[in-house]
């Protein structure tokens, strides 16, 4: 059973050799999009006629990351893209805390008076779990089986890896060679949330704009 797109999204972006996220800023965008996709898939969040996100079911999910996001969504109505850009660092750290509670990884306490580190060292008990997920998602993009038959979670993770330019999983060549298949996998997200699928498609441009022109190749 999936832990949730936001938690699997972290493993997807995790560099097992460096024992850290390759790019924490990029991961923040990916995890916000993944958490929103999880809520949409569960039927807890949807978009209204103007393309803004609304909470459909505010019942607790049992996941602190998702519950915190639901609380945010009950505030001022915003588009999916706007929600992806907000509170990314908070969501990233909440995901790390959740994975620590689940025993998937451990990390040293952050020095509240020290400088923010671009790479945070993390000990993952079984790095193969992250590696297996990265390989599975890459093979899904390179594969030939109908995209409609792929598990929803894997299809969304593939879309996030592709449109988020996650080089640990997919190279530039992969993205170009399998562009049609990436579109088909992204369309799986368009069923519950068409506006979110469009926001994911433009995810790298959103990252570039948010980082003042920095972007992954």
């Amino acid at each position: 059973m999936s832990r949730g797109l936001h938690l699997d999204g972290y493993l997807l972006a995790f560099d097992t050799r460096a024992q850290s996220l390759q790019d924490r800023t990029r991961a923040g965008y990916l995890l916000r999009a993944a958490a929103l996709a999880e809520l949409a898939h569960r039927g807890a969040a949807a978009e209204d006629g103007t393309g803004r996100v609304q909470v459909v079911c505010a019942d607790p999910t049992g996941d602190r990351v998702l519950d915190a996001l639901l609380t945010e969504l009950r505030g001022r109505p915003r588009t999916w893209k706007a929600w992806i850009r907000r509170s990314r660092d908070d969501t990233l750290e909440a995901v790390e805390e959740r994975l620590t509670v689940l025993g998937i990884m451990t990390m040293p306490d952050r020095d509240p008076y020290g400088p923010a580190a671009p790479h945070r060292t993390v000990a993952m008990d079984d790095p193969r779990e992250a590696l297996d997920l990265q390989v599975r998602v890459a093979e899904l993009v390179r594969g030939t089986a109908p995209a409609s038959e792929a598990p929803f979670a894997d299809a969304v993770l593939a879309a996030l890896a592709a449109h988020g330019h996650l080089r640990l999983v997919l190279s530039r060549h992969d993205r170009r060679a399998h562009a049609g298949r990436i579109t088909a996998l992204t369309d799986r997200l368009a069923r519950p949330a068409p506006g979110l699928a469009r926001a994911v498609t433009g995810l790298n441009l959103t990252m570039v704009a948010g980082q003042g022109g920095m972007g992954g190749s």
Side-chain angles (χ1 to χ4, degrees):
M1 183 176 180
S2 174
R3 286 169 292 261
L5 283 162
H6 52 303
L7 301 184
D8 280 344
Y10 187 96
L11 299 185
L12 195 69
F14 188 78
D15 187 336
T16 56
R17 291 185 178 182
Q19 284 290 292
S20 69
L21 291 170
Q22 189 176 56
D23 185 335
R24 288 187 67 83
T25 301
R26 185 169 296 268
Y29 283 96
L30 290 170
L31 296 187
R32 284 289 285 193
L36 289 166
E38 181 70 27
L39 289 178
H41 184 55
R42 293 184 181 210
E47 58 194 73
D48 62 18
T50 67
R52 286 170 171 74
V53 183
Q54 60 183 357
V55 174
V56 178
C57 177
D59 294 342
T61 65
D63 184 301
R64 293 180 62 183
V65 180
L66 297 180
D67 289 343
L69 182 51
L70 274 175
T71 299
E72 286 188 66
L73 297 182
R74 288 198 295 266
R76 177 182 173 185
R78 303 176 189 274
T79 63
W80 295 107
K81 180 178 177 180
W83 284 119
I84 288 173
R85 297 180 65 171
R86 290 178 63 84
S87 306
R88 302 183 305 274
D89 290 343
D90 291 341
T91 296
L92 174 55
E93 293 201 2
V95 166
E96 289 179 325
E97 290 174 4
R98 180 67 176 164
L99 289 171
T100 300
V101 169
L102 293 174
I104 295 173
M105 67 184 198
T106 57
M107 64 180 66
D109 293 335
R110 189 188 298 277
D111 182 358
Y113 304 104
H119 298 278
R120 191 175 187 185
T121 301
V122 175
M124 190 168 286
D125 293 340
D126 188 0
R128 291 175 299 177
E129 192 168 7
L131 286 171
D132 288 347
L133 178 62
Q134 292 164 7
V135 170
R136 188 172 82 234
V137 168
E139 289 179 345
L140 175 59
V141 172
R142 298 168 186 146
T144 58
S148 60
E149 295 179 1
F152 177 82
D154 286 357
V156 174
L157 290 172
L160 290 172
H163 297 300
H165 292 196
L166 197 57
R167 290 172 293 172
L168 279 170
V169 181
L170 297 170
S171 67
R172 180 186 296 180
H173 172 77
D174 287 327
R175 299 197 308 270
R176 290 178 175 175
H178 306 287
R181 185 163 176 81
I182 289 168
T183 297
L185 292 166
T186 308
D187 284 345
R188 296 287 304 281
L189 180 57
R191 297 176 189 176
L196 181 55
R198 289 192 295 272
V200 167
T201 298
L203 191 56
N204 191 61
L205 290 177
T206 299
M207 294 178 186
V208 171
Q211 297 180 64
M214 292 174 60
S217 60

